[in-house]
Amino acid sequence: MTDFAATKAMFHLPDGVIYLDGNSLGPLPLAAPERVAEMMTAQWGQMLITGWNKAGWMAAPSAMGDRIARLIGAPEGSVVLGDTLSIKVFQALAAALSLRPDRRVIVSDSGNFPTDLYMANGLIRALDKGHELRTPAPEDVADAIGEDVAVLMLTHVDYRTGRMHDMADLTARAHAAGALVIWDLAHSAGALPLDLAGCGADFAVGCTYKYLNSGPGGPAFIHVAPQHAGAVEPVLSGWLGHDAPFAFDPDYRPGPGIERMRVGTPPVIQMAALDAALDIWDSVDMQALRDRSVELCERFIEGVEARCPDLTLASPRVAAQRGSQVSFRHPEGYAIMQALIARGVIGDFRAPDILRFGFTPLYIDADDVDGAVNHLAEVMEGNHWDRPEYKVRAAVT
Ligand SMILES: *Cc1c(COP(=O)(O)O)cnc(C)c1O
């Protein structure tokens, strides 16, 4: 069993704050500042360039990839860190398309995070081979998987509504149609148990700064199933994905397996923070985490629906169809969220009308949920959101 009171004590949570936005940016692990400081002074400071070997900086993207592999149900040696999620989406899609050269259709869904769709369209333009991106509504994806589909590219948990696709079922359907599957785990990794290997997923990508708590700008990860890893020709053929980077060969030759998905120099300082965050995950049982997350989400939905009749649930009501967040709709959602943040309850807003609350059992408990419900009810009952300063949109919402 996981001791969630103990994990909560491993984070810095500012006084008076109920933090329900760990689905966007996880909070600071208490061990991270010292880990980063040590990396800077004892490693960078003292070892200088020898740190690449002595401190294991060069091996860190695969070593930490293995620690993430456990959390997403992927085998060792199938995950590597680096770059940002947008880049990893591009890489995975290019690799998947190259394995289906006779097909031209990519299926995603209309709820996907825009960068995933932008990157797909950018790749389509760059390839200039007549590929087409289709984006049916999330509930219509299964029907869109025909024999012409090269790749099914989905974000497992919808960033706005928290709606969750059935990974095993859709992967099986895609394979039956001869297509490959890419799962974006941005809102799943660290949020619920995953079994990429059991589902037979071909590719997966995700970020570490959301539920995994690596801090702003933390590196992304990519998983390639072992049967594909040696077969894909990387489109971002950077020197650190080369078979022998320090041979400085003018001709590119992909490295072994997942190593070829590396591009350039890894973000070593940021990986020190990730290392501290992953120490916490080592003690976590993912099923216990999921059970607690469901409890917290149900408690929040029940409390808000009892006390805030003007808010409409935007997330699936059935827990099994939901990730680890709960969203409500209201036309004045932005102002309501600003009023909540002013009271120390931090969630976020997604246009046009979604108030989003992430429930992260590592550091959120039932008292936090009750506190958040109370504040939200007070804001709604007293119309506290109806102030001009709460209606001015900031750059990041
Ligand atoms: C958060 C998120 C991203 C962010 O991409 P970055 O390149 O890390 O900025 C991409 N896709 C999805 C589905 C996300 O939720």
Side-chain angles (χ1 to χ4, degrees), residues 191-271:
L192 56 148
L194 294 164
D195 185 11
L196 289 178
C199 293
D202 300 289
F203 297 84
V205 292
C207 47
T208 61
Y209 54 78
K210 290 174 177 162
Y211 289 90
L212 296 177
N213 314 312
S214 71
F221 64 84
I222 183 166
H223 156 78
V224 182
Q227 73 271 23
H228 301 312
V232 296
E233 185 73 27
V235 68
L236 299 179
S237 38
W239 74 299
L240 289 187
H242 192 280
D243 190 38
F246 287 87
F248 297 104
D249 186 341
D251 294 322
Y252 181 79
R253 191 171 73 245
I258 191 69
E259 291 287 325
R260 67 185 57 188
M261 293 318 224
R262 294 177 64 154
V263 181
T265 303
V268 179
I269 299 172
Q270 192 84 49
M271 284 194 303

Side-chain angles (χ1 to χ4, degrees), residues 284-296:
V284 177
D285 173 70
M286 295 308 287
Q287 190 55 50
L289 179 97
R290 173 64 174 167
D291 295 345
R292 180 66 86 97
S293 150
V294 168
E295 266 171 48
L296 296 174

Side-chain angles (χ1 to χ4, degrees), residues 84-87 112-113 115-116 155 159 184 186-187 207 209-210:
T84 79
L85 179 48
S86 303
I87 303 287
N112 205 346
F113 193 83
T115 202
D116 295 44
T155 296
Y159 75 104
D184 185 328
H187 296 277
C207 47
Y209 54 78
K210 290 174 177 162

